[in-house]
Amino acid sequence: MISIQNVRKIFPSKQGHLKAVDDVDLEIHEGEIFGIIGYSGAGKSTLIRMLNGLELPTEGTVNVAGREISKVKGKELRKARQEISMIFQHFNLLWSRTVSENIAFPLEIAGVPASQRKKRVEELIKLVGLEGRENAYPSQLSGGQKQRVGIARALANNPKVLLCDEATSALDPQTTDSILDLLVDINKRLGLTIVLITHEMHVIRKICHRVAVMESGRIVELGPVLDVFRNPQAPITKRFVQQVTEPEETKDTVEHLLERYHSGLVIQLTFIGESAQQPVITKLIRRHHVTVNILQGKISQTRSGSYGTLFIHLDGEQDEINKAVDFIRSQQVGAEVITNV
Ligand SMILES: Nc1ncnc2c1ncn2[C@@H]1O[C@H](COP(=O)(O)OP(=O)(O)O)[C@@H](O)[C@H]1O
Ligand SMILES: [Mg+2]
């Protein structure tokens, strides 16, 4: 569906040339929700803007839905942009137009007759859950509602690809979740390919099938979301995964704990996929003569399973502790001894 080959984007700057995107190769499949994560300045927006011709690559080719986007111009480019639409962090709505009129706008541009426009707008209002708000102006809407208008407008001309540039970054966590649910719903119902960029791992883990991690214009890691959670390679990926799997205070707490316990073991358990659903701790307590203190933990759901970490303290006879650790490992749960106090 989307094929990016040897793409570079260089901007002239005072200090010479700035490589915003540096030698990127990427294939995105039809019907996929593909996430690109990176910190500010990584080159995410530049990359996604090359997918609908808002930026041209300095080198390389970009193919989307059978078109070489980096080559098309004029009328052909306008047609391509109807098939590859986009939503933005700050919604980019027309403030003097109502909800309905905003959604109708791309239909007007495409020359759709008024009667058909009306019908299509009604469908879209329903699809994004804005019934009753048709005649409101953007200033009268909440952030989540504004993004729903943005999504409806982006879907007006039945695109094949939806590009989302930090589409939830201006929203609070609850509203973010409701917009992400809407994107999953649209992806399933319409079979739409979605490419989204974000700096939040929560967004990736909640809805993406695959993820690419971007740093300094390059893709440093790529894979199915659960695989990347399970086995992050690059240091930056590890940091992103920690955003959702480890509570921020973990390090402090563990150091604190080491001071508190003078016997036994502190162990970090890693749960992946199926194992996160099993009652490992219950079994551990029933089968082994050890005392178990649960210290700290966090489990996150991804689309294809769970991932999480749990810190526990085991105490008892050394022999029993060893057996308990073996038992944990036999349950397909990662167990790393943090300290042997
Ligand atoms: N039009 C432009 N002209 C010059 N430099 C730009 C332009 N657009 C982006 N850049 C630079 O390219 C780099 C990547 O920017 P961007 O793609 O916006 O990153 P991100 O979306 O990951 O925050 C940044 O250093 C940014 O300043
Ligand atoms: Mg950006």
Side-chain angles (χ1 to χ4, degrees), residues 11 18 20 39-46:
F11 291 113
L18 190 141
Y39 292 115
S40 177
K44 306 180 298 295
S45 293
T46 306

Side-chain angles (χ1 to χ4, degrees), residues 111-134:
V112 176
S115 60
Q116 282 179 38
R117 279 204 308 259
K118 191 165 175 291
K119 194 164 156 278
R120 181 74 183 133
V121 168
E122 280 168 17
E123 279 171 17
L124 289 159
I125 293 263
K126 248 193 223 138
L127 181 71
V128 301
L130 280 174
E131 294 102 326
R133 305 300 281 154
E134 292 85 346

